[in-house]
Amino acid sequence: FHIFDEVVLAGANTHQAAEEWINKGYIKHGQRIQIRGDASGDARDTRSILSDYDILKRAFSNAGAIVEMQVPRSNPPIRRRHNLVNGYCLNELGTRRLFIYKRCTVAHDGMRLTALKKSSDIVEDDSKPYQHITTAIGYSIVYEHNNLGLVQVGSSRR
């Protein structure tokens, strides 16, 4: 995984974030885009008939991209996601499979500073903006890991 850029817009809505990605020039005509994330992003908001994923898909499709939704029906357990992300950062063999580039200052902070809520075993403290980015990175890693059929230590999956 190579995290080379990020969009962080305080107070922005989903459409504004999608427009920012489009304006950065990463979304091009004919380009294949994979949207991954939290299972709840597919839920419709009471203020709109569209979900966050509907908004992203529509914006990127209108920009000419070919959009593929890769969203799980349910979110992975937090501890499993953390273990997988940690293993991609540096596994027991000393191999790195997750790289965050210099321009991604919020993602970098998140990978260093993300913590669980105080007095909680497995609930993340999402009061910091970097937590949302690291969680999104984690969902993508879990999705790809599961898609490749890789085995996690302690897993019965083969």
Side-chain angles (χ1 to χ4, degrees):
F1 285 88
H2 294 264
I3 312 299
F4 61 89
D5 204 353
E6 63 189 13
V7 169
V8 180
L9 302 171
N13 62 32
T14 304
H15 181 73
Q16 291 166 324
E19 288 298 316
E20 183 67 20
W21 275 111
I22 292 166
N23 292 336
K24 280 180 169 260
Y26 294 129
I27 312 301
K28 298 182 180 359
H29 185 74
Q31 179 182 13
R32 197 174 114 195
I33 302 292
Q34 298 169 335
I35 296 178
R36 298 177 179 164
D38 188 325
S40 65
D42 210 16
R44 282 155 179 64
D45 188 298
T46 57
R47 297 163 291 182
S48 174
I49 61 170
L50 301 174
S51 72
D52 286 337
Y53 292 139
D54 293 332
I55 293 166
L56 292 173
K57 185 173 183 177
R58 181 177 287 176
F60 296 155
S61 294
N62 288 344
I66 300 162
V67 179
E68 182 180 339
M69 301 305 296
Q70 297 183 340
V71 180
R73 291 178 190 248
S74 62
N75 293 328
I78 292 172
R79 190 171 311 279
R80 180 170 189 274
R81 178 168 39 91
H82 287 187
N83 288 341
L84 278 173
V85 170
N86 288 340
Y88 275 76
C89 289
L90 185 65
N91 68 18
E92 63 187 14
L93 300 174
T95 305
R96 278 180 220 289
R97 297 177 292 171
L98 174 61
F99 303 91
I100 299 179
Y101 293 76
K102 289 181 183 178
R103 103 177 0 164
C104 302
T105 57
V106 178
H108 184 267
D109 286 349
M111 295 307 280
R112 288 183 308 107
L113 303 172
T114 292
L116 297 175
K117 280 188 177 179
K118 294 200 184 319
S119 73
S120 172
D121 240 2
I122 55 169
V123 177
E124 295 164 322
D125 179 1
D126 62 0
S127 66
K128 308 286 190 240
Y130 53 71
Q131 178 62 53
H132 300 286
I133 290 174
T134 57
T135 299
I137 291 168
Y139 286 139
S140 189
I141 288 173
V142 170
Y143 186 93
E144 189 67 22
H145 187 86
N146 290 344
N147 195 39
L148 293 173
L150 300 174
V151 178
Q152 178 185 355
V153 174
S155 171
S156 62
R157 186 169 185 195
R158 304 268 179 229

